[in-house]
């Protein structure tokens, strides 16, 4: 298959597998084209056109997406990220099993993709495996990012403190039922008594006598 897709890969993207197109229909076109080329060269021209279209078509699986391109003058291109792949199944007839050729159907969120390729079952297995691997890598990146954010927040004195966990109502009732300690008032020492110069007796200012 052509290598056009490799020029448009992202920085962290690589090709996992390329689908091999079914070459048997071209054999029949060339046989008819060579045998009947004298009929206005139409069969031969048709065989040449089919060969060019065959060479330009490609179905590539990368670690991030599926790339499907076809067409010579009117090019149709479809890129599908792996999370958007919804299902893959293969149809193989009797001769398809004999020559190891099948039609692969890929259901995506952007529409179906169909192609007649060799080793269709192997390509189907590769797609399903890569979809699962993409999910695992995505979860690992999320966990790594969360750990970094938690570490960054622990070392930042201005980080917002986590919200305290609310205490259940049952625990509040249990706390209220516990006996509370009795609060005692501190004993204040009495001030020293004032000594009565009359010895506890009153004093009459007129008679200057002590009154009991």
């Amino acid at each position: 298959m052509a290598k056009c897709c490799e020029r448009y890969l992202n920085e962290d993207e690589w090709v996992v597998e390329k689908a091999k197109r079914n070459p048997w229909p071209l054999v029949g076109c060339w046989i008819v084209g060579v045998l009947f080329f004298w009929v206005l060269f139409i069969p031969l021209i048709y065989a040449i056109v089919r060969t060019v279209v065959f060479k330009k078509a490609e179905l590539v699986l990368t670690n991030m997406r599926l790339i499907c391109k076809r067409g010579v003058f009117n090019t149709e291109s479809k890129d599908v990220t792996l999370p958007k792949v919804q299902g893959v199944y293969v149809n193989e007839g009797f001769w398809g099993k004999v020559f190891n050729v099948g039609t692969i159907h890929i259901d995506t969120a952007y529409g179906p993709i169909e192609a007649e390729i060799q080793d269709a079952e192997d390509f189907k297995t590769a797609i399903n495996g890569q979809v699962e691997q993409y999910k695992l890598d995505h979860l690992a990146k999320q966990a790594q990012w969360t750990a970094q954010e938690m570490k960054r927040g622990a070392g930042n004195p201005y980080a917002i403190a986590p919200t305290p966990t609310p205490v259940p109502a049952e625990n509040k009732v249990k706390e209220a039922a516990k006996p509370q300690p009795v609060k005692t008032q501190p004993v204040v020492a009495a001030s020293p008594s004032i000594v009565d110069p009359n010895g506890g007796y009153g004093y009459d200012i007129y008679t200057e006598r002590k009154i009991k």
Side-chain angles (χ1 to χ4, degrees):
M1 295 188 67
K3 298 183 180 181
C4 298
C5 292
E6 297 181 0
R7 300 199 301 264
Y8 304 103
L9 298 180
N10 298 324
E11 182 178 356
D12 298 331
E13 187 177 14
W14 62 86
V15 175
V16 176
E17 190 168 346
K18 298 178 182 180
K20 301 176 182 178
R21 296 294 303 278
N22 178 22
W24 290 106
L26 293 179
V27 176
C29 290
W30 277 102
I31 292 176
V32 174
V34 171
L35 293 178
F36 300 97
F37 72 95
W38 47 271
V39 184
L40 299 177
F41 296 98
I42 294 178
L44 185 59
I45 295 174
Y46 178 75
I48 294 174
V49 172
R50 286 291 301 271
T51 303
V52 173
V53 173
F54 178 85
K55 291 293 184 180
K56 291 295 182 180
E58 53 188 342
L59 179 61
V60 179
L61 171 66
T62 73
N63 62 316
M64 295 182 179
R65 54 181 170 161
L66 271 170
I67 303 174
C68 179
K69 290 187 177 183
R70 64 183 65 181
V72 180
F73 301 104
N74 297 325
T75 304
E76 179 186 357
S77 178
K78 183 179 293 185
D79 293 357
V80 181
T81 55
L82 294 181
K84 298 299 182 180
V85 176
Q86 300 174 344
V88 185
Y89 61 97
V90 174
N91 287 338
E92 284 185 349
F94 173 77
W95 293 109
K97 293 180 179 179
V98 172
F99 296 102
N100 196 19
V101 175
T103 302
I104 188 169
H105 303 265
I106 307 172
D107 293 330
T108 71
Y110 308 114
I113 298 176
E114 295 184 3
E116 191 174 0
I117 61 175
Q118 297 179 342
D119 302 323
E121 287 290 343
D122 295 341
F123 196 72
K124 169 188 171 184
T125 303
I127 293 175
N128 291 331
Q130 197 59 43
V131 169
E132 294 298 326
Q133 185 63 39
Y134 182 89
K135 294 179 181 178
L136 294 176
D137 293 343
H138 184 66
L139 292 176
K141 289 180 180 179
Q142 283 186 337
Q144 184 180 4
W145 180 84
T146 303
Q148 291 177 354
E149 290 298 320
M150 293 178 63
K151 184 177 180 181
R152 186 182 305 172
N156 184 5
Y158 300 101
I160 300 175
T163 305
T165 305
V167 180
E170 297 179 358
N171 293 349
K172 293 183 179 179
V173 174
K174 292 180 181 179
E175 291 293 334
K178 290 182 179 179
Q180 301 296 330
V182 180
K183 297 182 179 180
T184 58
Q185 297 293 336
V187 179
V188 181
S191 59
S193 58
I194 302 174
V195 180
D196 187 359
N198 297 321
Y201 295 91
Y203 184 76
D204 190 349
I205 59 174
Y206 298 103
T207 61
E208 295 182 359
R209 294 179 181 179
K210 295 182 180 179
I211 302 174
K212 208 171 192 182

